[in-house]
Amino acid sequence: MAETYATAAPDRSAVRSLLRLWPYVRPVRLRLFTAAFVAVLASCAGLVIPLVLKWMVDGPVADRDTGGVWLGALFLLLLGLAEALLFGMRRWLVARPLAHVEAEMRAELYGRLQRLPVAFHDRWASGQLLSRATADLGLVRMFLAFPLTFLLVNSVTIVFGVVIMLLQDWRLGLVILGPAVPVVVMCVYFENRYAVVARRAQDQVGDLTTVVEESVLGIRIIKGFGRHRTQARAFRELSSTLRGTELSKARLLATIWAVIVTLPELAIGAALVLGAVQVADGELSAGTLVAFLSTALALRWPVDSIGFLLAMSQEAATATERYFEVMDEEPERDAVVRSAPAPDAGLRFDGVVFRYPDADPGSPPVLDGVDLHVRPGESMALVGATGSGKTTLTALVPRLHEVTAGRISLDGVDVAALPREELRARVAVAFEEPTLFSASVGENVLMGADDRAGDAELERALAVAQAEFVHALPQGADTQVGEQGLSLSGGQRQRLALARAVVGRPPFLVLDDPLSALDVHTEAAVEAALRQVLAGTTALIVAHRPSTVLLADRVALLSGGRIAAVGTHHELLRDNPDYAHLMSGTGRQEDDR
Ligand SMILES: Nc1ncnc2c1ncn2[C@@H]1O[C@H](COP(=O)(O)OP(=O)(O)O)[C@@H](O)[C@H]1O
Ligand SMILES: [Mg+2]
């Protein structure tokens, strides 16, 4: 989890960030505009109420006309009902389309995460990605549902209200407008401060998610080493930092509220006193003062709410930014390398150099000129000390990482020139740390084959991988495994991963120490079965134990970032002291990667 987040860019603009939402909002724009229009209507219906009041006070009330008062009251009731109805309609209009927008954005994020290269995932903490897919998208939906509409509705309402007040009495109107300038200045200042804190809070949520996720995934290690206190402390520290940030958000919000609420309130008070004096002097009708003040009071909510509407918009802008930080990453692309086909069939590495993208630029590359030719149908064992780059080399074949220089070819075709789908259909892989998904055993294995493969293929693969234990599981191959299912032992999982690798009968097989967790007897059985599979396959197999090495036709020794020697096990044992030393251990070198 190296780079967790970029801090807010200096030229960031909330509006520019939010505008990027348009492509997602476009499909539902009609509903959204209708909803906004309905809300403006509702809000303006509210502004007619004071005018009716004025008519009532200056007319029927002054004339003691009971019928007129009743009529006015009925009118007010109807206006109130209309307002409530219109607001309800707005809610109904936006709810579904916005849930759709959120789902759509989430699906695209998920799709992008799947297509981003492994190097991206090495760089980003999973919690940061999770929080983007959940909390941030929730904020965006909230923004579209509420602040977006109401910033518009409130602005229109305020403009209308102010015009009405100025028309009633322009002097009182100016008194009310007095605080507008300081309020606007405060809002701008607040916007900028709030943007910074909001970004910090959202990033901290991501960090916290990462800790929680790691604690859950690593629960065995945490318990086994009695580390729950350390983990709990890390959690507490992060969550208290987050609480601090949330508190400063709250403080900022409180300040702006205080200003936004107090200043207009003072202005209303002043207008009340002035207006009362004018009415007493006979310069103003009582009805006008009532209308004026009730308009001012009706505007209180639109003005007061601007503070938190701006805050919500700011948070949504930050969330949008965080969303697009991922969406803007380059996905894996099918390069248009058109190199001349090499004459050799089989799997070839030519001058392959590789440095991890996040490695220190000054450090030597992990692989520094690997030349190796695995002949068609041959199986080659790859041997090397821990950390020599075996896993890295195997990951380059299915292009989980891209070579820094040099080329890898399958039957003469540069892997960089193969469409990814085709490449991954030709090469099957199994890694040392097998991952099983939350699905049935059968589904997990058949993932390695095309959709036509059925039970017969499954059985064959399970037999090769000596994974007959599957039949003893509660529901056989239909048993659920993975996070939401039955837990399997490391050796069992390795065998399923191996079955997944061989089930599609791939022409090329790349295995990164696939038998490391097996006991000696099972390993021997797997090897015997694997020998048949390997007969028709070009394979590169990372190996530690002499028994696995013996499966292969030849052995390549990886050392110092290059292939130091190639030969049969016995030749190397005889001629290469380094190899002899590697193989003379107790069988298996602990490989912790
Ligand atoms: N994702 C990564 N980012 C940066 N460096 C890595 C990464 N994975 C492995 N390395 C480094 O590359 C080197 C080779 O690792 P690896 O290929 O796993 O070795 P082996 O499988 O032979 O034990 C090690 O020094 C390791 O620290
Ligand atoms: Mg390894």
Tab-separated table of all heavy atoms in Angstrom, residues 390-392 432 512 542 544 591 593, ligand 2:
chain	number	residue	atom	x	y	z
A	390	LYS	N	11.913	-15.685	-9.565
A	390	LYS	CA	11.209	-16.771	-10.265
A	390	LYS	C	9.733	-16.426	-10.450
A	390	LYS	O	9.180	-16.553	-11.548
A	390	LYS	CB	11.344	-18.080	-9.468
A	390	LYS	CG	12.769	-18.475	-9.155
A	390	LYS	CD	12.863	-19.760	-8.369
A	390	LYS	CE	12.252	-19.664	-6.976
A	390	LYS	NZ	12.980	-18.729	-6.076
A	391	THR	N	9.095	-15.996	-9.364
A	391	THR	CA	7.683	-15.641	-9.446
A	391	THR	C	7.489	-14.511	-10.461
A	391	THR	O	6.557	-14.524	-11.266
A	391	THR	CB	7.169	-15.203	-8.057
A	391	THR	OG1	7.321	-16.309	-7.173
A	391	THR	CG2	5.725	-14.774	-8.105
A	392	THR	N	8.398	-13.552	-10.407
A	392	THR	CA	8.319	-12.425	-11.328
A	392	THR	C	8.393	-12.911	-12.771
A	392	THR	O	7.592	-12.501	-13.621
A	392	THR	CB	9.477	-11.454	-11.042
A	392	THR	OG1	9.475	-11.140	-9.653
A	392	THR	CG2	9.358	-10.197	-11.855
A	432	GLU	N	1.803	-19.999	-6.394
A	432	GLU	CA	2.092	-20.651	-5.134
A	432	GLU	C	1.003	-20.403	-4.095
A	432	GLU	O	0.669	-21.274	-3.316
A	432	GLU	CB	3.435	-20.149	-4.615
A	432	GLU	CG	3.955	-20.981	-3.492
A	432	GLU	CD	5.240	-20.418	-2.943
A	432	GLU	OE1	5.682	-19.360	-3.427
A	432	GLU	OE2	5.785	-21.037	-2.033
A	512	ASP	N	4.013	-21.797	-10.748
A	512	ASP	CA	4.926	-21.218	-9.773
A	512	ASP	C	4.873	-22.051	-8.503
A	512	ASP	O	4.015	-21.851	-7.666
A	512	ASP	CB	4.547	-19.766	-9.493
A	512	ASP	CG	5.541	-19.095	-8.547
A	512	ASP	OD1	6.603	-19.691	-8.302
A	512	ASP	OD2	5.243	-17.989	-8.062
A	542	VAL	N	8.303	-23.591	-11.710
A	542	VAL	CA	9.200	-23.190	-10.630
A	542	VAL	C	9.255	-24.330	-9.627
A	542	VAL	O	8.221	-24.874	-9.245
A	542	VAL	CB	8.696	-21.909	-9.944
A	542	VAL	CG1	9.553	-21.582	-8.734
A	542	VAL	CG2	8.695	-20.755	-10.928
A	544	HIS	N	11.406	-26.313	-6.187
A	544	HIS	CA	12.381	-26.252	-5.096
A	544	HIS	C	12.973	-27.610	-4.813
A	544	HIS	O	14.143	-27.749	-4.551
A	544	HIS	CB	11.707	-25.731	-3.827
A	544	HIS	CG	11.518	-24.265	-3.839
A	544	HIS	ND1	10.304	-23.682	-4.085
A	544	HIS	CD2	12.396	-23.255	-3.652
A	544	HIS	CE1	10.454	-22.366	-4.047
A	544	HIS	NE2	11.701	-22.089	-3.778
A	591	ASP	N	10.325	-20.352	1.000
A	591	ASP	CA	10.109	-19.222	0.112
A	591	ASP	C	8.955	-18.434	0.700
A	591	ASP	O	7.863	-18.927	0.842
A	591	ASP	CB	9.721	-19.730	-1.274
A	591	ASP	CG	9.604	-18.590	-2.266
A	591	ASP	OD1	9.487	-17.433	-1.840
A	591	ASP	OD2	9.630	-18.878	-3.453
A	593	ARG	N	7.727	-15.561	-0.415
A	593	ARG	CA	7.001	-14.626	-1.270
A	593	ARG	C	5.764	-15.269	-1.827
A	593	ARG	O	5.827	-16.279	-2.404
A	593	ARG	CB	7.887	-14.146	-2.410
A	593	ARG	CG	8.896	-13.165	-1.911
A	593	ARG	CD	9.162	-12.135	-2.966
A	593	ARG	NE	7.936	-11.369	-3.188
A	593	ARG	CZ	7.640	-10.278	-2.508
A	593	ARG	NH1	8.434	-9.815	-1.611
A	593	ARG	NH2	6.531	-9.637	-2.726
B	2	MG	MG	8.197	-17.014	-5.602
